[in-house]
Amino acid sequence: QVQLVESGGGSVQAGGSLRLSCAASVWSNSRNCMAWFRQAPGKEREGVAVIWRSGGSTTYANSVKGRFTISQDKAKNTVDLQMNSLKPEDSAMYYCAATSGTYCGTGLLTTQYQYWGQGTQVTVSS
């Protein structure tokens, strides 16, 4: 069973930066997909960024393109999300997710992921 633990959330003013990190207890599949999702109160969980671990390809939601960067550190078994130029609308609980297999489609749908972390809160004030 893969366990995902997020860290790095916090409070920041608009325009600031935060870096989230996701550590996996064990990689069940070195060619799976890892992603970051977020969920604001009263809203559905939405995909933010995904990385295909085998080749390192990435995809981003339109709302974060050019501001967020997802990356992986294979030596540390971590996947990070660097968030720059943060806006109040980026405030949400951020979740790390992983697939058990190599297929993850577009990579930004919750139904494509089998493993989830507990989340880390990001709050951006104006």
Side-chain angles (χ1 to χ4, degrees):
Q1 182 74 15
V2 176
Q3 291 185 330
L4 305 174
V5 178
E6 303 97 335
S7 62
S11 297
V12 65
Q13 289 189 330
S17 299
L18 283 174
R19 188 177 184 90
L20 306 183
S21 186
C22 174
S25 58
V26 59
W27 292 115
S28 60
N29 186 334
S30 64
R31 296 179 294 167
N32 65 342
C33 302
M34 298 284 294
W36 285 94
F37 287 76
R38 67 186 181 187
Q39 187 168 19
K43 295 187 177 182
E44 293 187 354
R45 191 170 297 188
E46 63 172 351
V48 173
V50 57
I51 185 166
W52 278 262
R53 294 184 58 232
S54 61
S57 298
T58 58
T59 296
Y60 297 90
N62 289 333
S63 58
V64 306
K65 280 182 181 177
R67 300 188 298 123
F68 290 12
T69 302
I70 189 171
S71 61
Q72 62 176 334
D73 187 327
K74 291 185 177 180
K76 295 181 179 180
N77 284 342
T78 59
V79 173
D80 292 352
L81 184 69
Q82 177 65 42
M83 305 185 294
N84 299 327
S85 302
L86 283 163
K87 305 174 181 180
E89 51 263 43
D90 293 319
S91 297
M93 186 71 78
Y94 281 71
Y95 298 90
C96 178
T99 60
S100 58
T102 57
Y103 178 77
C104 58
T106 63
L108 295 178
L109 298 179
T110 57
T111 54
Q112 294 163 336
Y113 292 84
Q114 292 74 48
Y115 304 112
W116 293 86
Q118 293 300 307
T120 184
Q121 180 67 41
V122 171
T123 303
V124 184
S125 58
S126 58

